[in-house]
Amino acid sequence: MAVEVKDLKKHFYDAKRGEFLAVDGISFSCSQGEIVGLLGPNGAGKTTTLRMIATILRPDSGTAKINGFEITNDPQGVRKNLGFLSSETGLYERLTPREILNYFGQLSDYPLDKLQQRIEDLIKLFEMSEFADTRCERLSTGMKQKVSIARAIVHDPPVMALDEPTSGLDIITSQNTYQFIRDSKAQGKCIIFSTHIMSEAEKLCDRIGIIHKGKLFAMGTLEELRELTGAHYLEDIFLAIVKEQVDV
Amino acid sequence: MSSSASPYNGKPKSKTTIVLLKELKEVLRDYRTLIMMIILPTLFYPAMLVFPATFAKQSIAKLGQSNVNVGVVGQCEPLVNQLKVGEHLKVVQLSETDYADKLKSNDVDVAILIPPDFNELIEKTYTSESDYAQLKKAPLPKLKLLLDTNREKILFSMASVYTAIGEFQQESIRKRLRAIDVGNSWERETKVKFDDVSPKESDTDDMLPNFAPYLMVLMVLLATSYPAIDLITGERQRGTLALLLVAPVERRSIMYGKILVVVIVGALTTILGVMSIAATLQFGPIKTTVVDAQPQFDFGLSAWLLVLLVMAPLVVFISSLSVFVAALTRTFQQAQGYLFPLLLVTLFLASAAQIPELADNSFLRLVPVANTTLCIKQIITRHWSWQGIAITFVSSSIAALLLAKSAANLLQREDLLLGVQLSPKKKMETGSYGRELIIFGGIVFFMLFYCGQLLSLWNVLASLVITQLFLILAPALAFLFYTKSPIKETLSFKRPPLRYVIAAISLGFSTVVISMLILTVQTKFLPYSEEYAKQMQLMVMPPGRPLWQIILVAALMPAICEEIFFRGLLQGILRKSLPPQKLIIVIGILFGVFHLSMFRFLPTGLLGILLAYLTLASGSIFPSMCLHFMHNGYYLAASYYKLNLDSTQCIALALAGFVIAAVALSWKPKSEKLAPALESVSDSDSVHESQEK
């Protein structure tokens, strides 16, 4: 398994709710060439889960292994094997795409003698040659999204964690992202991505996990989830699962 | 390696270097930083230093040259003649009835009222004895000057009027002296001529030493705060920080890279600023010559290099401070909100250079920013010493590096990174009161520094009581209540094992002797002024008070209040987040700093370490209270009876005390189990104690 998540827990605190479990014992796995989607409303714990997998946050308990590296013991190993992209991540406005790719390539220990070739390949792949040397502050949203994706995979990681990668993007830019996710799957990468958009999960994911209030209620292929709930559309499936669990 | 023509060939750079180069590139592409870094220091700051002075001088000169209309009411020809030859004076004769109106309408600037009997009193010559007897009774000749002091023009022009009146007085005295015929030897009077004694120089002399250090601190702070916010808060707000966090880089390397960039910006600004200020003073409209009886060197290149030298640690300090503050904030607005108090506090510290000699300002040498501005001022006025510069440089460097280190650790904290909040329960468990402690410590420190000093001018004994109760004990209790900490547990109010009490009591005298020995050695390297010795003597021995009162106030109260503050509150909170060795050293250093004197830092710091150890090892605050009381008590008694502490008997007694303490502490009853964490402390401390010996 490229990714194994085991019983992750994370407490948060705010004045209103007091101390609460933002992530409450989530476990799942994802293998090479597979796309796993974490589906849930805002505040369900998707982002926190992905952040713990990406070593941005430390879990209170539980663990995850990325390509064999453990997130708390060997965060550097995890980071070398992981590409991370989220709707909130931005770009350095005063640097050009080429400089950004160069920077993260160097930081990620990508072999220096191959880095320039890798950057050229990425520029070609994402059709960025026209603006590769323009400062990011002058780029359009679509161009920026391309740079962000290229940045996430400049070190060619086997695992990708994408946190609502299309939120805030228009249809065409979103399509580019979908295409990138499919291409990555074809290359045998392991992709975990979170979303609250049902159709996105339906279209892309091999398996879908339903997350609500920090808990992973169900996980399986769309077919499996349909069987489980008797509902056809993902929206209904989601509501059925969440309602059932909340009622209990 | 050689096959590729890529410029990125060769040895991979360290991660810090990669971060540094990228940040530097980004910073240099930001025009706002460039303005702060290049334009302001090269053009604005020198202008700020020079133009107000030039302008003020020019307008004063101009005002001094404008004509003054002098209205004379009454008759006195010699006076009027003097006024007429006076510089820029125009004399008009006025009558009793119209001078008030003329003055009001500004037709005349000054009115001189000459009483009717004035001439008679002035003209009369005194030659005989009976004349002198009359003279004693006679009223003095009086002139009355009327002018509106709110009119600046007049104030600057009055010199000519006064000169004329002065000349007139001298002339009339001369006349009278001639009349009694005492020869003319007295005529070698001082001729006072108002020549230009270069007000230019005296103005800069005033401004430069006081204003330049201030300006330099402001310059570094303004230049570093923007890039610091941009590099950290900006990165967070733009969502690029997460990218760095998932790159295989140590978070500390990221921070060091960023701090270094800010330091580079600050250093460039400083070099440019100092160079251009120096150039302006050298070649600009104002030539500066600092008047001093014994010049140690020419005020020139070497002085400016010295300024740069003492500013080097300041640049690191302020850069780290800016980064530190930036790391605490999540948005630009918040960062700007934090920047203002930061600016206030820093400039407040910087203003220390303007304080005239305090009773014991040796302490300022240890305060970052304040020591540097003091040093720069001394360099400019040539009152500097290598000792002062060395202490400033070393203490600022230590402060700067500590600050840089703690700033570098801030990216480890999830609460700052992603706004994850800690619950009060967890906060208590982990002792994460960093922010509260800094604010609290700062307030207490400033109160002690200012109120304490002011109070001691009023009444020594009362000021000790007030300081102990209201500036030390009360804030400590307030903090405990604010954080809702469990009082007994935090303050280590617990029955101590007997052997710690024995050790504490037996160490009381030994620590006094050791402190005296340390001070004796220290004075060889760091001699203190007589003024300071007198102050100290006064503080521990207020005249006319019985010993029991002094012991009550200066031994018992500190033993309770200061122990509750340091070994109780601070140690109780910090022990949750610091390993034992670090904890006792930090408590010791804080205790040393608290005594607000460079001379007392070493002995009190070491005592603080010992006290902190006793509390930590025994799990109770009472042994340290005991030792603190014994220490102060013996010291006061020794001063009271003028006991010679470095006599052989005293040293023997001190050694005996150590032996008893060592025996008591090494005796471990089987029933009592020492916490494993403390085992290592007792080892390290025995080393420390032997060093003390």
Side-chain angles (χ1 to χ4, degrees), chain B residues 236-469:
Chain B
R236 187 172 287 167
Q237 203 171 7
R238 288 189 291 262
T240 45
L241 194 60
L243 306 182
L244 271 181
L245 299 180
V246 290
V249 199
E250 288 287 338
R251 291 180 185 180
R252 213 168 288 168
S253 314
I254 301 173
M255 279 305 254
Y256 278 128
K258 285 171 183 287
I259 292 171
L260 277 175
V261 173
V262 179
V263 168
I264 290 174
V265 170
L268 270 174
T269 310
T270 308
I271 292 171
L272 281 175
V274 169
M275 265 170 43
S276 76
I277 288 176
T280 316
L281 293 173
Q282 199 72 39
F283 309 111
I286 297 175
K287 292 257 187 291
T288 170
T289 48
V290 179
V291 192
D292 195 63
Q294 291 159 314
Q296 279 170 300
F297 59 89
D298 283 335
F299 195 74
L301 186 65
S302 46
W304 292 115
L305 285 178
L306 216 50
V307 169
L308 282 179
L309 176 77
V310 293
M311 286 206 54
L314 179 80
V315 169
V316 180
F317 182 83
I318 293 187
S319 305
S320 311
L321 194 65
S322 303
V323 170
F324 194 98
V325 170
L328 295 178
T329 59
R330 252 170 281 138
T331 61
F332 272 106
Q333 287 85 343
Q334 206 187 359
Q336 279 159 353
Y338 274 45
L339 194 61
F340 186 64
L342 177 74
L343 196 73
L344 280 184
V345 171
T346 317
L347 289 184
F348 176 76
L349 288 175
S351 68
Q354 293 171 356
I355 302 173
E357 297 298 299
L358 284 170
D360 170 20
N361 69 3
S362 71
F363 177 67
L364 283 183
R365 290 276 182 212
L366 298 177
V367 180
V369 183
N371 56 9
T372 311
T373 48
L374 199 67
C375 227
I376 296 174
K377 183 186 173 180
Q378 287 175 336
I379 292 170
I380 292 175
T381 56
R382 293 184 185 186
H383 290 295
W384 61 280
S385 65
W386 283 114
Q387 229 170 25
I389 288 184
I391 291 169
T392 301
F393 190 85
V394 171
S395 65
S396 302
S397 301
I398 291 172
L401 293 179
L402 283 178
L403 194 63
K405 208 179 153 216
S406 43
N409 284 332
L410 284 178
L411 272 198
Q412 309 275 7
R413 287 180 41 187
E414 296 181 350
D415 56 330
L416 296 176
L417 277 181
L418 301 155
V420 176
Q421 284 186 51
L422 278 178
S423 69
K425 200 176 128 223
K426 240 191 194 155
K427 239 180 157 176
M428 185 109 62
E429 278 165 13
T430 52
S432 315
Y433 289 114
R435 200 177 295 204
E436 288 92 340
L437 274 181
I438 288 174
I439 295 171
F440 171 72
I443 293 172
V444 169
F445 177 79
F446 278 119
M447 295 228 305
L448 275 175
F449 193 64
Y450 286 95
C451 302
Q453 297 238 0
L454 280 177
L455 280 170
S456 65
L457 291 177
W458 163 60
N459 181 325
V460 178
L461 221 52
S463 86
L464 283 176
V465 175
I466 293 174
T467 307
Q468 290 293 335
L469 285 181

Side-chain angles (χ1 to χ4, degrees), chain A residues 92-106 119 123 132-136 147 151, chain B residues 8 22 25-26 29:
Chain A
Y92 295 111
E93 303 267 288
R94 293 192 292 274
L95 295 186
T96 67
R98 194 188 298 278
E99 285 166 341
I100 289 177
L101 295 180
N102 214 326
Y103 180 47
F104 282 98
Q106 288 185 55
I119 292 171
I123 289 174
D133 295 305
T134 310
R135 287 194 199 178
C136 288
V147 181
R151 197 274 316 152
Chain B
Y8 301 97
K22 171 255 163 189
K25 192 187 278 176
E26 228 189 336
R29 284 182 186 172

Side-chain angles (χ1 to χ4, degrees), chain B residues 62-93:
Chain B
K62 213 170 146 195
L63 283 171
Q65 281 180 2
S66 55
N67 282 328
V68 182
N69 295 321
V70 186
V72 179
V73 184
Q75 292 298 325
C76 179
E77 209 178 319
L79 176 59
V80 172
N81 287 340
Q82 279 295 349
L83 285 171
K84 273 182 181 159
V85 297
E87 254 180 299
H88 312 297
L89 297 183
K90 244 180 94 187
V91 186
V92 208
Q93 190 67 41

